[in-house]
Amino acid sequence: MCGIVGYFGKRPAKDFLIEGLKRLEYRGYDSAGVAFLEKGAQRGSKASKRWKIKAIKALGKVAALQMKMEGVFVSGIGIAHTRWATHGKPSERNAHPHIDCKGLVAVVHNGIIENHRELKEVLEKRGHKFRSETDTEVIAHLLEEEMSPSGEKRKVGFEEAFVKTLKQLRGAYGIVAIATEDPEIMLAARFSSPLVLGIGSGEMFIASDVSALVGDVKRVVYLDDDEIAVIRRDGYVVKTLSSRKREKEELTLEWDKTVAEHSGYAHFMLKEIFDQPKSFADALRGRLILEEGMAQLGGLSAVEKRLRSINRIVIVSCGTSYHSGLVGEYMFEEYAGIPTEVEMASEFRYRKPLLDRKTAVIAISQSGETADTLAAIREAKEKGALVLGIVNVVGSTIARETDAGVYCHAGPEISVASTKAFTSQLAILSLLTLYLGRQRGLSLVMGKRIAKELEQIPKYMERVLAQAKDIKKLAKKYAKQAHYLYLGRKYNFPNALEGALKIKEIAYAPAQGYPTGEMKHGPIALIDSSVVTVMIMPKDSVYEKNVSGMEEILARGGKILAIATEGDTALAKKATDVIFIPKTLEMLSPLLAVIPLQLFAYYVAVERGYDIDKPRNLAKSVTVE
Ligand code: G6P
């Protein structure tokens, strides 16, 4: 997905622009570009130097752009972009920033301008010449048209022209623009596509994703829809489209630079898999009250009373966050006694969901920016439900738009394939189960057992991670399979889906996840001696059922890679291969069983030689529908 960065300050903008783009590389892109203001050559006899725009673009990686910029002096004001093609193929011509006919403005844009065709037609009639196939280019020409109408004298200033332009756009946008006419400001606007300002000392930053700012600033301000930011070297003002000033909350960015580096690991994904004992412990920190078998969740205190009266939960989320929601469903129903449903946010938003004040809708999202999840919570709010968030990125749109919520504190997750965010979400869902359960019928004894066991999980995770070498060998053995089947039941059914998703995402392997009991209704037709089925079968309440499923597969010549509880020698004898996980409570077993699935997918992708942190066609945070 596209990425935006901008810099206005005392240093040459180049340093941050290139570094910022590199920090956004994980989002996926096909071309990159920068534009900055530079003082033009002396003209005529007068020593007047005029500002002009200089743009440099490159197809492919940011490193290619960086090479093209070697030796180029860049002023202290510039914008940059990584493009993920939507309108027009990947090419230098289509790469942002886009510039108008007269070279007055340069614009970078994330999102889609839905009425770009109509706008382009009108602009072409007025004589504007388009150089790219993008929807974004209309913004540059509209700005030009407002600032310097064809055949007329310049009418309005940059800021006014910017507002007038925004009012003509339909669709989603995060826009940052600079103009030769007004080198003292940089302008930004948001509608449905995130932008965050970074406040430095005597310098200002802007980015579409907060991870681009990590290491450069400590204070950030998120823009909301229909807001514009007027950015100067030493500060900013946020306004509405009707030019009313908005007071904005400045948040502290707690992530530091080291967490955004892959420190000795071959890939971010591997680092993040190994981060899990720590990220899980961070999610629990200060929130477990062992002696009361309870959780204290400060983010929910404002809605505590209302939470006592809810009688239904609907979880909305996408991708891996959807899978953690499915585990949450089993937890809430079993231990908090609250009927729970989980919906893919992309479907939820187009249904006519029946919600009322006694329903709590919980959005789960690592990024806090997923467009479908955001649309789902807006729908839920409209219907009067209590809307909560389980979000990783502090200050993100979903975090801001929910009534209350709990942060995951997993630190930045850079790998497109989500790993540590999943286990941190499960940590929060477990805490929420205690919180809601103890408000209802969950006994002190059971509450204490869950709390005590949660504390042990990081240690157990280490034991699973210690088997990485063995898992690597198994991945090598099975790396060439044409397709993979994952089976699990009850709490580990969502893990079957997650295991299949991981191997699809990074190893591009056709894979399916199914509840073991459903196997006989279709997937069993896939079984023959060339297929390994990954079965998640810890010693839990559905263990025997899983064993029966395994027998059916073995009877048809299929191979079994089992994830089993330590000490289960009987199973080890039957399965083709086995990976052991420590014994824990059934509701917490997905936290351990998912780790071999993540590692297996990772090592299969390594064997197949793919770009693991930037898998093809995927984006880390899907901010368009
Ligand atoms: C994208 C990512 C997935 C992620 C999903 C939901 O598809 O590639 O890894 O699980 O979005 O993202 P969210 O940020 O809402 O958890």
Side-chain angles (χ1 to χ4, degrees):
M1 289 274 132
C2 305
I4 289 176
V5 288
Y7 175 85
F8 193 3
K10 50 202 173 193
R11 294 185 273 158
K14 181 161 86 174
D15 306 354
F16 171 71
L17 294 181
I18 293 295
E19 188 52 37
L21 288 186
K22 283 190 176 164
R23 290 183 200 145
L24 295 186
E25 279 192 299
Y26 76 95
R27 296 171 59 92
Y29 67 104
D30 44 57
S31 52
V34 300
F36 51 91
L37 293 181
E38 65 171 11
K39 274 267 163 83
Q42 234 164 276
R43 286 187 182 179
S45 52
K46 286 188 190 148
S48 70
K49 283 187 180 176
R50 289 174 62 86
W51 287 96
K52 57 177 195 177
I53 284 168
K54 170 114 178 135
I56 302 176
K57 304 179 185 186
L59 191 60
K61 299 287 173 200
V62 174
L65 176 69
Q66 188 175 14
M67 278 198 3
K68 280 187 151 182
M69 291 182 72
E70 257 171 41
V72 177
F73 175 78
V74 178
S75 68
I77 179 166
I79 54 178
H81 191 261
T82 42
R83 175 172 185 257
W84 192 77
T86 55
H87 294 72
K89 61 178 189 305
S91 69
E92 265 187 40
R93 225 157 42 90
N94 288 333
H96 301 208
H98 289 289
I99 297 171
D100 61 295
C101 308
K102 297 184 185 138
L104 299 177
V105 293
V107 175
V108 288
H109 161 232
N110 282 0
I112 291 171
I113 304 301
E114 285 163 6
N115 57 338
H116 73 103
R117 271 189 206 89
E118 295 110 272
L119 292 170
K120 188 172 174 180
E121 221 171 274
V122 176
L123 286 160
E124 278 179 332
K125 280 194 188 130
R126 292 186 68 95
H128 290 263
K129 296 268 176 294
F130 280 74
R131 299 186 195 102
S132 75
E133 302 151 89
T134 66
D135 52 334
T136 302
E137 198 181 336
V138 296
I139 305 171
H141 294 280
L142 282 174
L143 276 166
E144 174 191 1
E145 187 63 24
E146 293 297 342
M147 289 170 75
S148 172
S150 338
E152 296 167 41
K153 277 199 180 149
R154 179 180 162 229
K155 268 193 188 158
V156 298
F158 181 29
E159 188 181 329
E160 197 183 336
F162 191 65
V163 174
K164 285 187 163 176
T165 297
L166 295 176
K167 288 183 176 162
Q168 298 173 62
L169 305 179
R170 223 175 44 231
Y173 56 76
I175 301 171
V176 187
I178 49 175
T180 55
E181 298 291 308
D182 202 342
E184 290 306 315
I185 57 170
M186 174 183 281
L187 297 175
R190 169 203 159 122
F191 187 79
S192 286
S193 188
L195 281 179
V196 54
L197 298 174
I199 305 155
S201 130
E203 52 184 0
M204 288 291 300
F205 303 77
I206 188 159
S208 53
D209 179 332
V210 73
S211 47
L213 304 177
V214 176
D216 280 292
V217 296
K218 278 281 168 211
R219 281 180 308 142
V220 296
V221 169
Y222 283 88
L223 289 190
D224 284 305
D225 280 353
D226 286 326
E227 285 182 344
I228 67 163
V230 182
I231 304 161
R232 297 179 190 276
R233 206 174 273 115
D234 54 358
Y236 66 95
V237 181
V238 174
K239 299 179 183 175
T240 61
L241 283 183
S242 47
S243 291
R244 234 171 309 134
K245 212 178 139 193
R246 277 254 168 99
E247 284 312 319
K248 298 290 290 181
E249 190 189 356
E250 290 184 4
L251 300 171
T252 304
L253 184 56
E254 271 153 14
W255 299 347
D256 67 37
K257 218 170 182 162
T258 51
V259 282
E261 288 162 358
H262 51 82
S263 15
Y265 288 94
H267 297 96
F268 276 111
M269 182 175 177
L270 190 62
K271 176 191 178 243
E272 287 160 8
I273 292 173
F274 274 85
D275 266 355
Q276 290 177 106
K278 181 175 177 302
S279 51
F280 184 83
D282 288 344
L284 298 186
R285 185 154 300 118
R287 289 166 164 173
L288 264 186
I289 317 172
L290 283 180
E291 58 289 359
E292 289 175 32
M294 185 51 180
Q296 95 193 346
L297 299 167
L300 298 184
S301 52
V303 294
E304 193 187 333
K305 221 168 125 211
R306 196 159 163 206
L307 267 174
R308 284 181 189 276
S309 69
I310 60 145
N311 57 17
R312 180 175 164 230
I313 292 176
V314 177
I315 300 177
V316 288
S317 44
C318 303
T320 291
S321 300
Y322 169 69
H323 298 154
S324 71
L326 288 173
V327 180
E329 177 181 23
Y330 288 93
M331 290 180 179
F332 291 156
E333 294 197 334
E334 183 164 4
Y335 292 103
I338 307 174
T340 305
E341 299 140 54
V342 194
E343 273 278 345
M344 285 177 182
S346 55
E347 282 299 306
F348 179 90
R349 64 184 291 186
Y350 290 113
R351 276 184 29 210
K352 283 216 170 355
L354 302 173
L355 306 167
D356 59 29
R357 286 188 57 77
K358 296 216 160 175
T359 307
V361 171
I362 305 179
I364 305 181
S365 176
Q366 186 286 127
S367 61
E369 301 294 350
T370 303
D372 286 326
T373 310
L374 190 57
I377 62 167
R378 286 176 178 165
E379 172 76 22
K381 269 184 124 174
E382 191 95 333
K383 298 247 158 88
L386 173 67
V387 180
L388 307 176
I390 296 178
V391 172
N392 190 34
V393 179
V394 175
S396 55
T397 311
I398 293 175
R400 282 178 289 126
E401 292 202 12
T402 40
D403 297 315
V406 187
Y407 282 119
C408 294
H409 296 313
E413 191 181 63
I414 305 294
S415 157
V416 169
S418 184
T419 54
K420 66 174 178 176
F422 178 76
T423 44
S424 295
Q425 290 163 354
L426 292 188
I428 307 302
L429 287 163
S430 312
L431 291 170
L432 204 49
T433 303
L434 283 179
Y435 183 92
L436 297 170
R438 297 284 288 123
Q439 279 183 348
R440 292 166 172 79
L442 181 65
S443 71
L444 174 64
V445 176
M446 195 58 213
K448 276 165 108 172
R449 256 189 86 191
I450 296 172
K452 230 173 119 204
E453 197 63 6
L454 274 168
E455 276 221 310
Q456 302 303 311
I457 293 294
K459 197 175 71 195
Y460 295 158
M461 284 176 159
E462 298 284 5
R463 281 212 321 248
V464 184
L465 288 167
Q467 300 172 70
K469 272 197 187 133
D470 303 322
I471 297 169
K472 188 176 179 178
K473 278 187 206 144
L474 290 173
K476 213 175 175 133
K477 175 172 169 187
Y478 294 118
K480 293 204 170 66
Q481 276 210 173
H483 63 90
Y484 298 80
L485 182 61
Y486 288 75
L487 298 177
R489 242 188 139 133
K490 205 174 166 187
Y491 280 96
N492 278 295
F493 155 56
N495 257 347
L497 299 179
E498 179 59 9
L501 177 66
K502 286 285 91 75
I503 207 159
K504 251 183 281 201
E505 284 176 311
I506 55 168
Y508 314 144
Q512 277 178 305
Y514 262 94
T516 312
E518 188 68 11
M519 184 189 55
K520 52 193 172 295
H521 300 294
I524 199 163
L526 298 172
I527 303 297
D528 64 27
S529 60
S530 71
V531 178
V532 69
T533 301
V534 180
M535 285 200 72
I536 310 143
M537 42 199 309
K539 278 256 167 110
D540 58 11
S541 64
V542 286
Y543 175 72
E544 299 298 341
K545 308 275 174 203
N546 270 321
V547 171
S548 308
M550 175 178 76
E551 300 283 10
E552 285 168 23
I553 292 173
L554 291 171
R556 284 158 183 83
K559 293 189 275 280
I560 297 287
L561 167 52
I563 316 286
T565 304
E566 284 173 358
D568 191 351
T569 45
L571 180 64
K573 276 185 204 143
K574 284 188 183 160
T576 323
D577 289 289
V578 65
I579 303 164
F580 288 113
I581 58 170
K583 175 141 194 66
T584 185
L585 289 177
E586 179 170 344
M587 74 173 263
L588 303 181
S589 64
L591 284 158
L592 305 177
V594 77
I595 294 176
L597 305 177
Q598 297 166 342
L599 284 169
F600 183 71
Y602 172 79
Y603 287 120
V604 168
V606 170
E607 273 303 308
R608 293 181 172 205
Y610 294 132
D611 189 354
I612 290 169
D613 285 333
K614 292 173 215 125
R616 72 181 179 209
N617 305 338
L618 297 179
K620 180 66 186 161
S621 137
V622 184
T623 49
V624 291
E625 203 183 330

